[in-house]
Amino acid sequence: MAQGAIPVELGTKPIRKLLTQYAVPGIIAMTASSLYNMVDSIYIGHIRDVGSLAISGLGVTFPLMNISSALGTLVGVGAATMISVLLGQKNYESANKVLANEVTLNIIIGLLFTVFVLLFIDPILVFFGASENTLPFARDYMRIIATGNVVTHLYFGLNSVIRSSGNPKTAMGLTLFTVGANAVLDPIFIFALDLGVKGAALATVICQLMSLCYTLWFFLDQKKFLHLPRKHMLRVDWKIAKDSLEIGMGPFLMNLASCIVVLFINRQLLHWGGDLAIGAYGIVNRICFLFVMIVMGFNQGMQPIAGYNYGARQYSRVREVYIRTCVAATIVCCVGFIISEVFPSLAVSAFTNDPSLKTLATRGLREMNIVFPIIGFQMVTTNLFQCLGMVSKSIFLSLSRQLLFLLPCIYILPGILQSESGVWLSFPISDFIASVITALFAVSLIRKLGSLGDGDSPEILGSKI
């Protein structure tokens, strides 16, 4: 296909077909990515004699994994958003510079994170809720994951750019390969080689490294309209870095807030329910994560379409893709709600055979997802503000649910109810309040988009892009 041919369809093809074309590979990729994480948990949960404690140890690593993810999105999301808009403006040279800048920043930030974690791993994990029973498992897993942190950042960041540049099937194929390879290597490393949780971590890093090698080869092809220009490699353009980091600040702060919240969740669960309660949260989080990742797949499909058409000043198409994505995301979350409330025991049983852990996780899944159907709308709306470069609004919506509402509930409700149920019920309460606020922002934005004619200046929306 000729240079620039793929981006042009983002501004001309019917939105319904475009969203299907871009979202379906994203959904498959994100679902596979979720299963990728679930496979680790399922295998670890069935390690003989220590499965329950090993799963609890894995749960302790969630905040640290969220920090790593936050740093990756800080660079990757901003770069992908800028690239989508620049492609809409047909500014290929600048898009290539942004891509090269993303690679350099990911390497720098990834290496700094790795060094910090390896130097202070034990006190960090204890701070995040590890006990003397779960610390050995958390340490074994996190040491290997932290060592491969640069690989993880580059793999996920560049995969997102592949999708944004008009190659969703390639991005999906890489994710499916990684998941498939992980599913094969996990039992070999965990059981056959008797490496336990170390084997799960090692399989994860090796699979990501294999996919990253192809991804780098993909972008080093100088004939592609989007590629890594050799003259800009391993250099930082601080103007591009500033703009990219500003756009990525919303999802970065959201993931950082998740880290803080999970830290307090683990501490409260440890206080009110012990190590198994943390393990229960790990299981519940994996199940919910599956549906959240599907919604994120729709968001990934929406992102290049909304970004391109906003750059091309075709606001009616931005509005249409947002509404269609909201509807699809709500349907997904309704399915998650039904499974959580009607079949929770069946879902939990895939992760553990321990009766006590199953009971805790089943109750937690039901209580945590009482208002799950409204989560999709909230995620899509926050993502739209990010796509349009409305940094302050994206950051506020990202943080309001977790820090303004969820965190206080986590500390207040368990004391009132005198049980860990207070932790679980904090989620639906904060989700409801945050969704009401998100709806107010969404109505205002849709009205402004409706008032703009295609080709008008976007200044009325307050975007910096």
Side-chain angles (χ1 to χ4, degrees):
M1 187 171 290
Q3 176 172 314
I6 294 178
V8 168
E9 75 174 7
L10 293 171
T12 57
K13 198 170 184 177
I15 292 294
R16 180 181 59 81
K17 292 182 178 180
L18 269 179
L19 188 57
T20 300
Q21 176 184 337
Y22 279 77
V24 169
I27 291 166
I28 294 174
M30 297 306 287
T31 303
S33 181
S34 177
L35 293 174
Y36 176 81
N37 293 319
M38 289 177 72
V39 165
D40 276 358
S41 297
I42 290 171
Y43 281 125
I44 289 172
H46 288 88
I47 297 175
R48 184 176 299 176
D49 299 328
V50 297
S52 297
L53 285 176
I55 257 198
S56 296
L58 192 63
V60 170
T61 68
F62 284 168
L64 202 50
M65 300 282 279
N66 281 339
I67 293 176
S68 174
S69 177
L71 292 171
T73 56
L74 176 63
V75 179
V77 170
T81 300
M82 289 180 68
I83 287 171
S84 290
V85 174
L86 289 168
L87 292 178
Q89 298 168 347
K90 298 180 174 57
N91 189 346
Y92 301 114
E93 182 178 354
S94 294
N96 289 331
K97 288 182 66 176
V98 172
L99 177 60
N101 218 63
E102 178 193 5
V103 170
T104 305
L105 285 176
N106 265 322
I107 292 173
I108 294 172
I109 294 174
L111 286 175
L112 290 174
F113 178 83
T114 296
V115 171
F116 179 80
V117 170
L118 293 180
L119 285 176
F120 305 103
I121 188 164
D122 278 12
I124 290 173
L125 291 173
V126 170
F127 180 70
F128 286 152
S131 68
E132 61 180 10
N133 296 320
T134 58
L135 179 60
F137 301 105
R139 182 198 301 125
D140 286 347
Y141 186 80
M142 203 62 220
R143 272 180 177 164
I144 295 174
I145 293 295
T147 302
N149 187 63
V150 171
V151 172
T152 302
H153 278 198
L154 287 174
Y155 163 63
F156 282 111
L158 292 178
N159 190 271
S160 178
V161 173
I162 288 178
R163 185 179 301 104
S164 299
S165 66
N167 296 278
K169 291 182 179 179
T170 302
M172 176 191 69
L174 284 167
T175 303
L176 289 176
F177 168 79
T178 308
V179 173
N182 187 64
V184 172
L185 293 182
D186 257 350
I188 295 174
F189 287 1
I190 294 173
F191 300 112
L193 299 180
D194 197 26
L195 293 176
V197 293
K198 292 180 182 178
L202 192 59
T204 295
V205 174
I206 289 175
C207 294
Q208 290 174 353
L209 178 61
M210 288 189 290
S211 290
L212 175 61
C213 288
Y214 177 85
T215 303
L216 290 174
W217 174 84
F218 179 90
F219 280 120
L220 287 172
D221 184 352
Q222 304 297 302
K223 295 179 181 179
K224 289 185 169 65
F225 69 88
L226 184 64
H227 60 267
L228 284 168
R230 294 186 178 92
K231 63 181 179 179
H232 296 302
M233 287 297 294
L234 300 180
R235 297 179 181 178
V236 178
D237 184 316
W238 294 109
K239 174 62 169 63
I240 292 176
K242 178 179 177 294
D243 293 342
S244 176
L245 295 178
E246 278 187 357
I247 296 171
M249 189 60 67
F252 167 74
L253 291 176
M254 181 175 64
N255 280 326
L256 189 61
S258 295
C259 165
I260 296 171
V261 170
V262 173
L263 163 63
F264 288 112
I265 288 172
N266 283 349
R267 285 179 171 271
Q268 286 292 78
L269 287 174
L270 185 64
H271 175 72
W272 293 100
D275 288 326
L276 285 188
I278 294 179
Y281 176 67
I283 292 173
V284 171
N285 197 36
R286 292 300 192 199
I287 295 171
C288 296
F289 199 56
L290 174 62
F291 298 98
V292 169
M293 292 296 270
I294 295 174
V295 174
M296 288 179 67
F298 276 109
N299 275 343
Q300 288 186 351
M302 179 183 77
Q303 188 268 329
I305 302 170
Y308 181 97
N309 284 283
Y310 184 68
R313 299 188 177 187
Q314 299 189 82
Y315 308 111
S316 59
R317 292 173 63 83
V318 176
R319 185 172 180 268
E320 182 182 351
V321 73
Y322 165 68
I323 293 173
R324 287 185 179 275
T325 307
C326 276
V327 172
T330 300
I331 293 172
V332 170
C333 289
C334 285
V335 174
F337 170 79
I338 292 171
I339 291 176
S340 298
E341 303 304 321
V342 181
F343 309 108
S345 181
L346 183 63
V348 168
S349 63
F351 294 85
T352 182
N353 294 321
D354 185 300
S356 298
L357 184 55
K358 284 178 66 174
T359 299
L360 287 172
T362 298
R363 185 174 73 244
L365 185 61
R366 277 183 171 148
E367 294 176 348
M368 184 173 169
N369 289 343
I370 294 173
V371 298
F372 201 66
I374 64 178
I375 298 295
F377 154 76
Q378 185 184 4
M379 291 178 61
V380 173
T381 302
T382 301
N383 185 66
L384 180 67
F385 282 111
Q386 171 198 306
C387 289
L388 303 186
M390 301 179 186
V391 180
S392 60
K393 292 183 176 65
S394 177
I395 290 174
F396 176 76
L397 292 176
S398 298
L399 296 181
S400 62
R401 171 188 175 266
Q402 299 186 83
L403 295 185
L404 296 182
F405 310 126
L406 180 57
L407 197 55
C409 287
I410 288 170
Y411 261 87
I412 294 171
L413 287 183
I416 295 175
L417 300 178
Q418 290 295 300
S419 79
E420 73 272 10
S421 286
V423 178
W424 301 119
L425 292 173
S426 298
F427 287 88
I429 292 173
S430 59
D431 285 336
F432 177 77
I433 299 172
S435 291
V436 171
I437 294 175
T438 301
L440 296 176
F441 277 79
V443 169
S444 175
L445 177 62
I446 291 301
R447 285 177 177 173
K448 288 180 179 179
L449 285 173
S451 68
L452 287 173
D454 289 350
D456 288 348
S457 170
E459 291 181 0
I460 186 175
L461 296 178
S463 173
K464 293 184 178 181
I465 292 183

